[in-house]
Amino acid sequence: MLEKREVQEITEKIQSKNWKYHITTFGCQLNENDSEKIAGMLEELGFAKAENEQDANFLVFNTCCVRENAEERLFGKIGEVKNLKKAKDLIIAVGGCMMQEKLMVQKIKKSYPYVDIIFGTHTMQNLPQDIAKVLLEKEKVRDVIDIDGEIYEDLPIKRNSQVSANVTIMYGCNNFCTYCIVPYVRGRERSRKPEKILEEVQHLAQNGYKEITLLGQNVNSYMRTERENGKVDFEIDSFAKLLYAVAKIDGIEKIHFISPHPKDFTDDVIEAISKIDKISRIVHLPLQSGSSKVLREMNRKYTKEQYLALVDKMMEKIPNLMLSTDIIVGFPGETEEDFEDTLDVVRKVNFEQIFMFIYSTRDGTVAATREDQVPEEIKHQRFDRLKELYESKVEENNEKYIGTFHSILIEGKSKNDANMLTGRTDTNKVVVFEPKADCQIGDIVKVKITENHKWYFKGEIEE
Ligand code: SAH
Ligand code: SF4
Ligand code: F3S
């Protein structure tokens, strides 16, 4: 920990020089949430937020390694900022998931020696100390440890939105899907205490937040490890119970959660969603593949038939439910027949949204060692075929929206037209509409969908 005197010394320096920070986040919402905590720590030290990289004196890159292209984007970025460093006082920090990989840390040190601070997913909370070392002792810092992971509560936080907030409920992952690097870089599954989560949500509600997203790699196994280890002596010991407790908090009007795992989608969770109106009617249910053989080799612990049966059960029990999903094409050994099974599930389940990924080999995972990798060309062809099917389904589905009414939280001005407002339907479709006299960002308004533009709708606020 930093001594008070040191904090004061750094803060005075930062403020007297009017230093600003800029954070670039790669990867998922968990990383976004970490970046909000990094922003909180930096503002507490006296940094102000810069609008862009050029105006900043402290650059943070919060990295992702889930697929190769996320890594490539990072290298492009840190290459670009080298020249900025020549022109002014600039500290560069690279942190997050990718820094938990030894080879990546070596690559940064060798190819980008001007990076001042390297930190990992388990050491983010040390950033103030790391900055102190750079500023007071003129040292380069490498602060990465390989541990199962702990939970750090009460870090300051500077959120990106004033109406909608991410709340991490658990860290790490124990599932070890054979394609995935996340369990290696984020450590073991561990859940935050319910009282800490509820405290955070209450605080958000008091500050005008209306919408929250509960985050974790496997949210519906909330408290499972702790339960199994006999470490739970409180009432809220499951994801379903947490949902009821969060829903009781006045002021919060919409609750989302990502990602649940199909294997842990127990009946109590289905019942909770059906009973709690505040929970979004769109649920993310990652499929990954429609082939039972591939699913087994992915270590997903469900078959095609079990997934489809779960979808049927959820559709039956939860009125107006819609689903989104993640699909990987080109997992090692995936045959044409396996891929057809994936298309078959997509034809059968009317997914509102599909996040499609080309399988990317991740060093250290089980699937990376397989010799039957699918050739790049075939992976791309399959991706295009899946995309084509998905897009035809999107058009078909969108038509159903025309003329329907939705209560929409106004998130802000439209990026493409500052005269228009934007928000999303409960099913995560973007809707753009003209403002009405007294409506404000953060209000919930009733909007009628009038035009279908494939990836967004136009609508009108009802009188
Ligand atoms: N824990 C979440 C999501 C983790 S990463 C879950 O299980 O749903 C987000 C998505 O990235 C995954 O759902 C998967 O579809 C994709 N993904 C993970 N590893 C990948 C890899 N090696 N190649 C391609 N896509 C991958
Ligand atoms: Fe990766 Fe599977 Fe864990 Fe999701 S559940 S983070 S895909 S290992
Ligand atoms: Fe990427 Fe790390 Fe999230 S690897 S997907 S940022 S947990």
Side-chain angles (χ1 to χ4, degrees):
M1 279 297 276
L2 281 181
E3 282 180 28
K4 243 187 173 161
R5 185 185 45 80
E6 286 170 317
V7 175
Q8 207 176 352
E9 196 178 333
I10 307 168
T11 308
E12 272 166 19
K13 182 161 184 170
I14 292 167
Q15 284 176 337
S16 69
K17 296 198 169 198
N18 209 3
W19 274 353
K20 298 191 175 126
Y21 72 93
H22 184 274
I23 305 175
T24 309
T25 312
F26 300 85
C28 63
Q29 270 156 291
L30 285 150
N31 245 22
E32 291 284 350
N33 195 219
D34 282 350
S35 288
E36 291 178 322
K37 291 174 193 160
I38 293 171
M41 288 189 275
L42 295 178
E43 295 207 358
E44 221 173 63
L45 278 183
F47 285 99
K49 188 176 176 188
E51 284 308 312
N52 52 48
E53 284 164 4
Q54 279 70 25
D55 289 346
N57 309 85
F58 189 79
L59 290 180
V60 184
F61 296 97
N62 194 8
T63 63
C64 169
C65 54
V66 78
R67 286 171 294 273
E68 197 179 351
N69 55 7
E71 297 186 337
E72 279 162 4
R73 281 192 294 132
L74 171 79
F75 291 127
K77 269 290 190 195
I78 26 180
E80 274 171 31
V81 295
K82 183 176 182 184
N83 286 336
L84 288 179
K85 185 136 180 161
K86 286 186 191 143
K88 61 171 174 189
D89 287 332
L90 179 64
I91 303 172
I92 301 178
V94 183
C97 295
M98 213 171 139
M99 297 303 106
Q100 292 298 132
E101 296 179 287
K102 289 197 180 69
L103 282 176
M104 288 302 160
V105 172
Q106 279 165 19
K107 181 164 174 178
I108 300 269
K109 284 169 91 175
K110 188 158 167 268
S111 307
Y112 308 91
Y114 50 89
V115 168
D116 302 281
I117 299 173
I118 294 176
F119 62 97
T121 56
H122 303 298
T123 44
M124 180 185 93
Q125 69 287 346
N126 298 346
L127 202 55
Q129 283 94 300
D130 297 342
I131 294 172
K133 277 201 191 120
V134 174
L135 285 180
L136 306 177
E137 294 159 34
K138 309 274 176 246
E139 269 182 35
K140 291 237 184 273
V141 181
R142 181 179 161 275
D143 189 7
V144 183
I145 49 172
D146 187 11
I147 54 168
D148 284 351
E150 290 180 25
I151 295 178
Y152 298 93
E153 293 290 355
D154 305 321
L155 290 178
I157 186 158
K158 175 75 180 33
R159 296 184 184 271
N160 294 330
S161 156
Q162 287 170 352
V163 282
S164 178
N166 287 327
V167 177
T168 301
I169 63 165
M170 60 194 298
Y171 297 88
C173 181
N174 285 356
N175 287 328
F176 289 94
C177 301
T178 55
Y179 50 81
C180 185
I181 190 89
V182 170
Y184 302 91
V185 297
R186 284 275 176 178
R188 297 290 60 74
E189 197 171 277
R190 53 210 184 272
S191 298
R192 283 178 74 194
K193 291 248 163 65
E195 74 240 31
K196 282 292 177 190
I197 298 170
L198 297 176
E199 209 175 90
E200 183 174 344
V201 179
Q202 257 146 10
H203 185 73
L204 287 164
Q206 279 156 10
N207 285 285
Y209 284 83
K210 302 257 166 65
E211 183 174 52
I212 56 160
T213 303
L214 304 175
L215 296 179
Q217 292 300 354
N218 192 176
V219 284
N220 49 352
S221 68
Y222 175 72
M223 279 292 162
R224 183 183 51 196
T225 324
E226 288 78 1
R227 247 182 359 247
E228 284 168 3
N229 295 338
K231 282 192 184 158
V232 184
D233 55 4
F234 35 80
E235 205 190 319
I236 301 168
D237 62 353
S238 71
F239 184 55
K241 288 186 191 163
L242 183 69
L243 286 174
Y244 288 109
V246 168
K248 275 200 198 125
I249 297 174
D250 282 340
I252 298 300
E253 295 181 28
K254 260 191 198 178
I255 303 167
H256 306 264
F257 53 85
I258 49 165
S259 276
H261 195 301
K263 79 175 160 61
D264 297 311
F265 228 108
T266 43
D267 288 348
D268 57 345
V269 176
I270 298 180
E271 195 179 320
I273 302 170
S274 73
K275 283 193 176 153
I276 304 170
D277 288 342
K278 288 182 179 181
I279 298 182
S280 166
R281 295 293 103 166
I282 184 154
V283 170
H284 191 63
L285 194 65
L287 168 68
Q288 312 300 3
S289 166
S291 152
S292 295
K293 182 204 91 189
V294 172
L295 286 168
R296 189 177 62 243
E297 291 172 4
M298 285 177 162
N299 193 28
R300 291 290 292 177
K301 300 198 167 74
Y302 54 86
T303 61
K304 176 187 181 186
E305 290 69 30
Q306 284 168 332
Y307 184 92
L308 288 172
L310 174 64
V311 169
D312 281 347
K313 179 156 80 176
M314 289 171 71
M315 289 291 178
E316 190 201 316
K317 299 260 158 79
I318 309 169
N320 304 320
L321 178 71
M322 301 204 187
L323 295 171
S324 62
T325 201
D326 287 353
I327 294 177
I328 299 175
V329 298
F331 182 80
E334 183 189 71
T335 61
E336 180 58 25
E337 210 185 341
D338 294 323
F339 178 63
E340 280 296 336
D341 271 329
T342 299
L343 296 180
D344 187 47
V345 177
V346 173
R347 279 190 206 100
K348 287 190 170 124
V349 182
N350 267 329
F351 292 114
E352 278 298 306
Q353 230 179 346
I354 305 181
F355 300 90
M356 296 170 282
F357 307 106
I358 291 177
Y359 168 74
S360 172
T361 314
R362 303 286 71 205
D363 281 344
T365 62
V366 173
T369 60
R370 286 179 60 160
E371 279 169 15
D372 51 354
Q373 301 288 328
V374 174
E376 282 302 315
E377 199 186 318
I378 295 184
K379 286 199 249 183
H380 281 90
Q381 280 169 7
R382 288 185 186 157
F383 183 87
D384 291 343
R385 284 164 63 197
L386 175 62
K387 190 162 161 252
E388 204 177 310
L389 173 64
Y390 169 47
E391 290 189 357
S392 70
K393 301 276 280 186
V394 168
E395 300 226 37
E396 203 181 295
N397 266 339
N398 277 2
E399 282 308 313
K400 290 188 296 204
Y401 280 78
I402 303 295
T404 58
F405 293 89
H406 298 259
S407 56
I408 288 180
L409 174 72
I410 305 178
E411 286 171 20
K413 290 182 177 166
S414 160
K415 274 191 199 133
N416 299 324
D417 182 351
N419 295 320
M420 302 287 271
L421 296 173
T422 176
R424 280 165 297 148
T425 63
D426 208 16
T427 51
N428 210 21
K429 300 272 185 187
V430 175
V431 185
V432 174
F433 44 93
E434 258 181 53
K436 275 267 154 75
D438 50 3
C439 65
Q440 293 179 4
I441 293 171
D443 287 351
I444 292 185
V445 286
K446 196 170 168 199
V447 176
K448 182 182 175 186
I449 306 293
T450 53
E451 289 173 32
N452 167 13
H453 291 262
K454 195 163 176 180
W455 301 116
Y456 71 97
F457 290 116
K458 273 205 173 146
E460 286 164 6
I461 300 184
E462 274 292 291
E463 294 297 340

